[in-house]
Each structure stands twice: as C-alpha cells, then as structure tokens.
Amino acid sequence: MNEITLAINDRQVKGKEGDTVLEICQANGIDVPTLCHHEGLSDVGACRMCVVEIEKERSPVPACTYLARDGLVVKTNTEQLERYRRQILELIFTEHNHFCMFCEQSEDCELQKLAYRYQMDNVRYPYTFPSLPVDALSDYLVIDHNRCILCGRCIRACSEVAASHTLDFSQRGWKALVSADLEQPLGESSCTSCGACVQACPTGAIFSKLNLYKGKTDECQQIKTVCPACGVGCELNVLVKDNNLVRIEAPSLTEPRGPLCRMGRFRLLEPTPPRITSPLVRGKQGELEECSLDKAVQVIVERLAEAKDGFAGMISTRVPNETLSLFNKFIGEVVGSDSIDTRDGESYRIISEGIRLFQNNGRGLDIECPIEDILEADCIIVVGADPEKTNPIISTLVRRAVSQRKAKLIVIDSSRDVFPLWTDLWLKPRAGSEGVLLNGLAKILIDKGLVGPGKAQAELIQSLSQYETGEVSRTTGIENERLELAAEMYGWAEHGVIIYGEGLLQGNDASSITTILNLANITGNQVEGELRVISLKPCANSRGAWELGLAKGIKQDKPKGLYLLLADERESEELLSWLKGIDFLVVQTSYYSSVTSLANVVLPSPIWAEREGKYVTTDGRVLELKQVLQPKDGLPQDQEILIEISKKLGHRLS
Amino acid sequence: MVGKGQALNRLSSPDELEGIRKSIIKQRDPNKPCITICGGTGCLALRGESVIAAFKQKIKRQGVETKVDVRITGCPGFCERGPLVVIKPQNIFYQRIRVEDVPEIISETVLRDNIIDRLLYTDPNTGQKVIYEHEVSFYKKQKRLIIGNNELIDPTIIDDYLAVGGYAALSKVLFRMSPEEVIEEVKKSSLRGRGGGGFPTGIKWETCRKARGDIKYLICNCDEGDPGAFMDRSLMEGNPHSVLEGMIIGAYAIGCHEGYIYVRNEYPLAVKNAGIAIRQAEEYGLLGKDILGSGFDFSIRISRGGGAFVCGESSALMASLEGKPGEARAKYVHTVERGLWDKPTNLNNVETWANVPLIINQGADWYTKIGTPNSKGTKIFSLVGKVNNTGLVEVPMGITLREVIFDIGGGIPGGKEFKAVQTGGPSGGVIPESLLDLPVDFDELTKAGSMMGSGGMIVMDENNCMVDIAKYFLTFLEEESCGKCVPCREGVKRMREILTDITEGRGKDGDIELLERLSAVIIDSSLCALGGTAPNPVLTTIGYFRDEYEAHIRDKRCPAGVCKALISYHIVDEKCPGCRLCEKACPTRAITFVEKRKPVILDQEKCIKCGICYDVCNLDAITVK
C-alpha cells in the first residue's frame, strides 16, 4: 500500500492508500464524531455526524466512507460543520424517545456523549414522542425501539459478524424499525442470541437482560481471558465491578474467534445453582454435613489407606492444564491407580484411533486444521455435528463462509438439518450408516477422478471396492444422484472443510473418522501436513486434557471408588447413572447437584472466573485463562486441595 | 408481414437486415388508408381500449379489411385530447374519440374522404378547427426526434420499427465502428443524461469501458417516479426497440454482455411491451448471442421495481436490483467502477438510450446543431397542471419556458393568470413568471434554483398556493425517503411539519429562517440526491414567493385561497338569486335556503371548506376570503 499525505486541519498527516479519511483522522488523533461507524463493521455513511469539508468537493462528505487520496485538504472542525452536527443531533433527539434518566445505557451511550460534547441545552424542534414497541420476549435480549437511532450498526453486526442475517429494517423513512426476520419477535426469530448487536448498539436500544444496572464501563475493571464455554477458545473481555461479573464483551468483532456467542457472552452470567462453600462429608444419618477441609481430607485418606484397589479418577476438561497435570500425578502417584479418564475421554479414544488407522506415523490431533480455515472454504461438510448447539462460533464461521464466500454447505445428519436456512444439500442417512455414506463418497470421488494425483492408493481403492454407489444408496437410503452431487460439490471445491462432532462418535466407529481424513487427503485438502478437517471437542480444554494423556480410560466397568473432579461442569443424566453404585465417591465441584447427593465426600471447587491456567483450544492453540474474580468466600483452588490430600498420604506434589 | 406470435427468421448479417427491411417496406402501400389509434396508457385510461375494439369490429363487419389498415401505436403525447385517432396518409387528426364515433369515421373519412367536423381539434387560442395533425399548435413548435416514431409504429411489432429504419444504427456500429469510435461519437454529440443528473453520457461510457473488471453490466433506468411525469413510460410503452437499440449500442461500446431494464411494476404496459420487444429482437438475432453475426453477445433482462421513488437513484436502483432494500450508498467510488454486484455498471435512463441510435444514424455533428452550447438535442417534458394542452412535448434544448407553456401548451385554462411552473419533479423548484423567458437547458434551470430533472413540468395558476405546493412535494419526499441518513429522514419530515403548521395557521415568526437552516443541513449533508435536492421546492417558493409565506404566517391568510384553515367561503348577497344549487351540494348542510330571489345563508360553524358550493355556483356568488 502506498503511503499518502493529507492536510487535515492544516496539519500534514500520513496514511495508507485505501484508508478512509476517518481512519486516517483516528490514527492521527484527530477527533471526528461518529455514530453509525463501528470498528470492524462496514461503513454506510448514514448518520452524517462525521461529515468533513474537503477541498474541491461541493458539499461536506462523510469521513467514514470517503477514501483518502494523496494531497487531500480536509477540514474536520469548521464552524459550519459543527453547526450541522449539532443540528443532526437535534433531529435524532426529537425523532424517538431519548430520555437518559430511564436508560440503563446512560453514561455508556454514544449519543448522550455527543449531546454533551455539542452542549445541547435545548432542541429547536418539538419532540414527536412516538409510541414505539419494546420487544423483551427473547431470553437474553431486549429491543427498545424508542431508543433506536436507526444507525443500522446492529443490522450490520448481525449480517457481517454473526452472519445470522436476522435483523434488518422494516418499513422505510422515519417509519423504519429494526426488525427480526419478517417482523417477528426476537425470541421467535432466527436470532441466535450471539449479542453482537448489543455490543454494536451505540445507545440503549438493544441490550441484554443479564447486564442491566450492574455497572457502568468506567466503574469496571476490564480483564481479558479465554472463554470456558467450549473448545473454540474465544477471547473474552470481562467487565468486573466489586468482584461481580458485569458484562462480557468481545475484544474485537472482526477476529474469527471475536464475535462471541450466547454461551460466552450471556450464559456465563446466568444465575448458577447454589455454590459449595465448604467441604462436606456424609454423616451417620446419611446426610451431607459441612466440615473442615482437614476432616474431609481425613475421610478420604482413611478410605484410600484402607483399599487403593479399584480406585479411579475422573476429571472435567473445563479445568486448565495445570490442574489436569496435577490430577494426573495425584491419581497415578498418590492414589497409585492407572485408572484415569476425562469426562469426554471416550471421544478422544475414537478420534485418535481413527487418526492412527489413517496413517500410522505418530501424528495426533495436530493433523486437524485451525478453525479459521472455515472462513476460506468454498465447500463445507458438517457431519454428525450440531455446532449451533455445541460450538456456536463454528456455526457463525460456517454461515459467514456461506453468505460471504458463497461456500456450498452439505449437512450429513440422520435426524435433522442442523443449518436449515443455509444448507445446499442435506444428506439424511439411516442412523448408523454414516460410515458407509462417507466411504461411498470417497469411492465416487475416486471413480469420477476428482482426486489429487497419486492420492488414491491401491490399498484404499481396494478397501473401497465394496462401496458401490447402488449398494451405498440402499444402505443409507439416499438416492444415487444426491450422493454424486455431494461428491461433486466437495470434489470440485478448492478449499473443502469437513467438520464432525459428537454425533459421529456415538456409533463408536473409528473407521468413519479415518474415512473423513481419507476424503480430505485424496481431494488434496491438505496444507503442510494438516488436513482440512475439524473435530468439535466437547469441552473448553478437552484437547489439553487429551494431549496430557488423561483420557486413558477407566479399567473397571464400575470402580469401587472414584475421585471425580467435576469443577463447574454441570451434571448430566449419563454421568449420574454411571456414578450410581460406586461405593466411595469423592466429588470436587462448584455447585450442589444430583451428583453431590451421591457423594460420600464433597469438596469445593472454584468456577471458571476464579481459576487461572492454560487452555488448549480445539485446534491446538494455547491460551491463558485469567482469574477475573476472587474465589467465593476465600475457597481454595482445586490444586491446593489435591496437594493437601497428597501431603496427608505422604506425597509431595507440586 | 411478420406479426405477433409468429416465429421470426434469425438475421445473421447487415445485408440480411437491410433485405428484410426492404421487403417490409415493399409490402406496405404508403397510400393505403391507415387508422392509427393511440394505445398509450393515457388514451387507454380514457376508454381507448373500447375504441380500438370498435374499430377492429366495424372494419371487419363492413368488410373493408383489405382497404384499410389499423395500427395501435404508442403515445403521440397529446394526452389532453385522447383517445387520439389519426387517419393516414392525410394525417387527419381526430380527438376525444368515443365508440359511437367509430362507424362514422370509417364510412365517412376512411371510405369517402369526408372530414367530420365535430371530431376535430379546436385551437383554444384562435377558436379555429384544425384538420391535420401537423397543424395542431401543440405539435407545431415541437421537435419530435425521439417521441415522433411513437405514432408511426405498433410497439408490439418489430417490423414496424424496422420499417422506420430501426436497428440500422446497431448494424452500423457493429460492422463499421470500433467501440472507441462509438464512444467518441457519443462524446462529440455532448449527449447528457436525461434522467436528472445531466452527466455527459460519452464520458460515463468511457469511464465504464476503462473500469477494471471482466464482467460489466448495463442498466436502463425506467423507474420514473416524479409525480406527473411519464416521458420514459410512454417511450418504453410506445417504442421499446429504440431503447433496446440504444442499449445494445452502449453495451458494444462499453463491453457489456448483460443488461437490465429496471422498470417499475406500476407500468404494466411498459413491462409487457419491453418483454415483447426483447423476445422479438432475440428472435431476429438483434439481441442475444452473436448479434447480426458480428460475434458480439448481449442479453437484456427485465427487473420489475416496487415503485419506490428513491430507486430511481442509481445506487439504490442497483441495490434493489440485487434484491436488497432500495437504499442509496455513498458513491465516492462511482457505480461505473463498482455498481451492480460490485462490478462496473453503466446506467442511463430510457430517454438517454433512445437518443443513441439517432446520434449514430445522423452523426454527432448533426446532433450538436440542436440545442444550446451546454445542452444538445431535444428533451421530452411532461407538461401538466394548469395548462390547456397537457401531454408529452419534445422540444429542442434552449426553447423558452414561455414557448412551451403558451405556444405548445396553449396557455392557462379559464383565462386565469399564470403564476409559476415547477420543473424537475419533487426535487426541482418553481420558476415564477419573471423568468418565463428562460431558455430550457440543464444549466439555466439549475441557476434559477430548479433543475431539468427527468422532465416534469407542472404549470400553476393564480389559484395555486405556493406554500401548499411546497408542502405537497415535501410530503411526497418524506414518504419516499429511504430513511438511511438522518438529514433526509428527519429533516425533510421536520420541514414538512413546519409547512403544515404554516398552512394550518400555526406558523410563527422564525419559521422561514428555520426552514432555511434545515435546508442547508439537508442539502449539504444528505447521502444521496433525494435529500440533497429535497429542500428545492421550499427554497424556491420562499425565494420567489416569500410574501405568500409571510401572509400565511403573519396575517393568517392564504392569498391563493387554498389552505383550508386560513380561508372562508362567503355568499355575495347581490349576486345570489337563491337558486339552491349550492344548498343541495353542501355535504354538511351549512347553507340554508331562505326564499326565492333572496341570497342563501352560509353557516361558518358548519362549513368544512370543501369548496363544492364554490364549484357548483354558476354566478360567482360565492367568494373565498
């Protein structure tokens, strides 16, 4: 990019060709007021606050959409411009109902700040007091049209960042309103509650119920950390006031892991079950009773001294690497058991077996590509996964590829189309026949010659010979034509990405993983040893735990004793039924739950915001989880308790 | 002759085109009587359809099909006097034809050459009957280069267009000119866009040709939205092939292979006729792949608009064409570089395209002889309002407003005083009597505070209130503002509210200044031309008729007697014979009959100022104060 020089307010400043005048002003500390501009969103020049005078232009132009050229002479602060800006503000203020004393956004409102800046002591036009609706039926979001200035930032955030395309204007002119879908209430619309619109709104027109009246930005401490909600590893900007969570924001809307989803932005702020605030042991009457940590440790130590045989450890993968390593040592060295697993270890064993079968050269999960690859894709296959449920950001990236890059989207799912508004082709195999389907696709690709040179080795061709299209069609219940269409869409793509998840692992069939890797490999969807394949990991630090070797598996069907470090992971039916019948159960967890009611000893555990350590994301990046809150009631960290027990058993862990 | 529904032979060389043209002309006897009936929307709305049906039926019944042709043509422009019928070859001009007149026209005029006196046009100024079309004062001063063919051809029959020399320019361009030469010729002609902006067409084409991009689009803007304007409509309805030919020439010059006609769906006949024309041109090989065997490909598709005024603005039109809401975008990167689907796009309006074949056929040197130094050629105006001859007029640039309104338009009806003329549609301004000798061209109208726009011309007389007129246009613009930018969305609304207050007696000192202040911010900071020109009707009426504003605000009086809140009706006792006409017409029974030969009494409390009594009174016994 060529460097250009402009004269802005009689000052020589430099910028790059292709920059807008506004960007150059901002980079050089020249303050130009804006309302419809938002970092990371496209500019539309709607509010006209940023109008500047440019020599040889017959009227003022908005700095946000005007591309700078070398030698431009710009004035940003003439008397006339300031007059225009004030007049525009007056028009905005009388358009809808802007009454700061009733608005949660007061002090954080861009419109209010501009009103102060332009010393708006009065407006010259009568207020219109329109009667506008408020939509508060969504779980997390509220749209109050009375406070809307129709800048369209939420709409651009919804289409460009979230790629949800839920919001748009209905009607036109001064009758225009921001509407979801075809004027649906937000809660009944295609809205995914990602909250990008909340972050984009300059006023209090779109806000979250979970942030209300908790604190103003200036009163808060802002801490950057990583999201514990799933394995994608989005960065969070957490706002904290008086050791309470106020709000969670995306540090940047533009980064692929930037926009956040309802899980990261809102669900983490939701009320939790009651916290465990003290160790508990089961008393004589069979009731859990509060006790000191010493007492609880004593009970555990006694039980372990009695019989270490048949004792196993299980840990949630929501905890950081440091806790995982220590737990690994604790079970191995202190308890002396090689029976250890993570909550999601079964998934790992299938995936790693699949990778092993694909190529026996010792590569592991690092054979997968980074999630950013989705944005480059021109064809995406989603198989046995529901990213909108498990990893909403992945679903955002898929939608972005489809809407912005016109990527083709193929969903393979036996029960439902997980991207109903976006799918080009939904293949619905009979339950359990996904593996056959994938092999069938591989065979069609080879038969049609849609494979890279030398990629289809004789051994593979041989092994696929049983997957004749007709046969595959009979087994899966999908017509030949659709199979061929899917193969062609993927085969012709230059950048095909396959995403698979839990649904595919349920069949316990590692060979379908191998087939997926084969598909990517034969079609040349491979860069520097990485295949364009992404497996969705169930938890925030699943990959960290698996790579540390904690997913060994529990040897017995039902161990006699179990140390379960559940942390702040919520209970599940499947876990509960497995835990029933274990003689001695130690649960280290944050919340009271059905799991604690089965336990013999319950130990406290901090929640995500009170912990720190390293997370490994689903695609192998190592990120830092920061402590944003002081642990409730001075509770100890998970590691401290493990070290305490070890000490009692004569081990020194660190 | 090849007509509707018959397959056409594909032409694959210029010679074949000329061959078929010759054979079409040869088949036609120029001396055979031909009844041409206007099939334009104006005449159809005046029951022209039944007149057409009656002619066809009667000719069949009288067994004279072989002796006389019937041609349903496009709009010749004189809508005031429709349905129009012209008997050729003599060009006998009959107007306001009803079904009952049809047998007589056939038996008397067509078969016996007798003129039917009562169907002739009477000149409002001289009171003389006029027999021949070219002698009608409405047509005399016009220069009908573009619209003239409307009445010669049936727009649904391509052969009619070929018979008047159609597609000769295309053939010339494809085989005897390079794209650069075409652009050079158009540049030399100084043709300026007829849609409102007046941007030089040749330069636009050149920029688009030079713009980087493998795919380029061409658009014909037929989203005419000015109230009362229908130039583009009648061209598209009446002579669609001239537009297509212009577009194909433009596409060849620029290097486009795909074009769109964006036409509002409120123009059903334009949509239909454009569709027929495209089909017929394709069948003849004048459109589509390998046009006339030249190897040049160009296809045209029709996109129907929803009728938003703002979609006449190029970037809003393109957004709408893409399927997005019709909103303008900042155009610091011009649409010729990044337009439809971000590809270089050349957009011109219907009339501009229709000028192109003419320039190619006659040459730029000939073309530049017409008009003023900065505005060449002719311009079609839709002359409406308080004028005797309403309709479409095509005049050379530089003609004065007085000539258009008084010579062609025949002056103001009812002997009323001319007050002002509004040009350029809602974004234009009003021009007062003192400027009637202003030559009509792009720059002069702009200097007067108005604009050429797409060619609307609304004449107003002493009974038009200028504040009310300004309010009318601002109401239109408020309704049509897309709402994207604040100054237009809210500013125009605020201006309209102030104007409403003034017309309803709530005006106050300072309102005029507030209007002017709002105008400045709207003009200077709106996103597109809709907002940028929206205050024009207000500023020009304030400029030329400030006293009317002041009368409304200070004296609470509407000098033109229009603004209901400021006027009252009164009985002139000495003139009222108590005939009871007004009493019967009054919807609120505000008028009481006393006795014969005594004036009626009007109760101001009950009067809703509807003006019906004023209209029904034959004796001027009711006045407005």
Side-chain angles (χ1 to χ4, degrees), chain B residues 3 13 25 63 70 76 153 155 183-184 212 218 248 282 290 436 453 457 475 533 581 589 614 620:
Chain B
S13 73
I25 296 171
V70 174
I153 60 176
I183 289 176
E184 208 41 53
R212 261 180 290 171
L218 194 97
I248 306 166
E282 280 171 350
D290 191 17
L436 262 185
M457 205 176 261
T475 309
T533 56
L581 264 181
R589 300 193 179 172
Y614 181 82
D620 285 342

Side-chain angles (χ1 to χ4, degrees), chain A residues 553-586:
Chain A
I554 287 173
K555 302 288 181 284
Q556 315 87 331
D557 279 347
K558 188 99 27 170
K560 285 182 190 148
L562 180 73
Y563 195 111
L564 174 63
L565 205 167
L566 195 58
D568 54 347
E569 185 177 326
R570 304 291 172 90
E571 65 192 41
S572 71
E573 284 300 321
E574 155 260 324
L575 173 68
L576 275 173
S577 65
W578 184 73
L579 290 177
K580 274 175 195 150
I582 291 175
D583 287 351
F584 186 74
L585 178 62
V586 181

Side-chain angles (χ1 to χ4, degrees), chain A residues 44-48 51 57-62 65-67 80 83-85 87-88 91-92 94-95 124-128 149-151 168-169 171-176, chain B residues 307-310 325 327-330 332-333 478-487 489-491 493-494 496-498 514 517-518 520-528:
Chain A
V44 292
C47 73
R48 319 307 277 182
V51 285
E57 284 289 345
R58 58 183 171 180
S59 55
V61 300
T65 54
Y66 197 91
L67 291 182
Q80 176 174 282
R83 212 167 45 232
Y84 284 169
R85 287 171 187 151
Q87 241 177 317
I88 288 165
L91 290 170
I92 294 175
T94 52
E95 180 175 28
R124 281 167 287 190
Y125 317 107
Y127 284 93
T128 47
I149 59 167
L150 303 172
C151 65
D168 210 327
F169 287 120
Q171 308 293 324
R172 73 169 177 217
W174 57 268
K175 291 178 196 142
Chain B
F309 179 64
V310 71
E327 287 179 4
R329 66 159 173 83
Y332 304 113
V333 178
E478 176 193 1
E479 177 69 32
E480 292 295 337
S481 166
C482 78
K484 185 173 180 176
C485 74
V486 178
R489 179 178 79 225
E490 270 306 296
K493 177 166 180 260
R494 277 351 184 62
R496 198 269 306 150
E497 285 168 0
I498 296 168
L514 196 54
R517 200 162 44 213
L518 268 170
V521 66
I522 296 170
I523 288 172
D524 270 358
S525 67
S526 285
L527 195 153
C528 79

Side-chain angles (χ1 to χ4, degrees), chain B residues 361-560:
Chain B
N361 278 328
Q362 307 279 353
D365 293 334
W366 172 86
Y367 190 82
T368 47
K369 290 201 180 90
I370 312 161
T372 60
N374 290 322
S375 307
K376 298 295 179 193
T378 59
K379 176 78 192 87
I380 308 174
F381 288 95
S382 64
L383 186 62
V384 296
K386 306 283 184 63
V387 62
N388 274 315
N389 302 335
T390 61
L392 290 183
V393 302
E394 184 179 346
V395 290
M397 296 277 190
I399 193 171
T400 65
L401 284 167
R402 191 183 298 281
E403 287 172 286
V404 175
I405 295 163
F406 288 92
D407 298 350
I408 297 171
I412 314 299
K416 298 255 170 71
E417 282 293 310
F418 170 86
K419 187 171 192 175
V421 57
Q422 155 93 17
T423 69
S427 315
V430 298
I431 294 169
E433 201 191 354
S434 58
L435 295 175
L436 262 185
D437 290 313
L438 201 72
V440 174
D441 79 1
F442 286 103
D443 307 320
E444 291 298 324
L445 289 176
T446 309
K447 264 189 236 161
S450 182
M451 60 196 249
M452 180 87 88
S454 61
M457 205 176 261
I458 304 170
V459 182
M460 289 170 263
D461 69 8
E462 57 191 274
N463 284 2
N464 286 107
C465 166
M466 288 297 127
V467 188
D468 185 61
I469 291 290
K471 183 178 81 177
Y472 167 79
F473 283 115
L474 269 280
T475 309
F476 176 84
L477 292 164
E478 176 193 1
E479 177 69 32
E480 292 295 337
S481 166
C482 78
K484 185 173 180 176
C485 74
V486 178
C488 176
R489 179 178 79 225
E490 270 306 296
V492 171
K493 177 166 180 260
R494 277 351 184 62
M495 286 182 75
R496 198 269 306 150
E497 285 168 0
I498 296 168
L499 289 168
T500 305
D501 281 351
I502 295 176
T503 57
E504 290 178 359
R506 293 186 298 272
K508 51 190 180 299
D509 278 345
D511 275 356
I512 295 180
E513 290 70 23
L514 196 54
L515 284 172
E516 286 170 336
R517 200 162 44 213
L518 268 170
S519 297
V521 66
I522 296 170
I523 288 172
D524 270 358
S525 67
S526 285
L527 195 153
C528 79
L530 192 151
T533 56
N536 282 359
V538 180
L539 289 180
T540 51
T541 45
I542 291 178
Y544 297 124
F545 300 95
R546 197 181 179 99
D547 53 334
E548 267 191 58
Y549 277 83
E550 281 167 354
H552 281 79
I553 294 169
R554 293 199 191 136
D555 314 338
K556 308 293 174 208
R557 188 172 64 82
C558 174

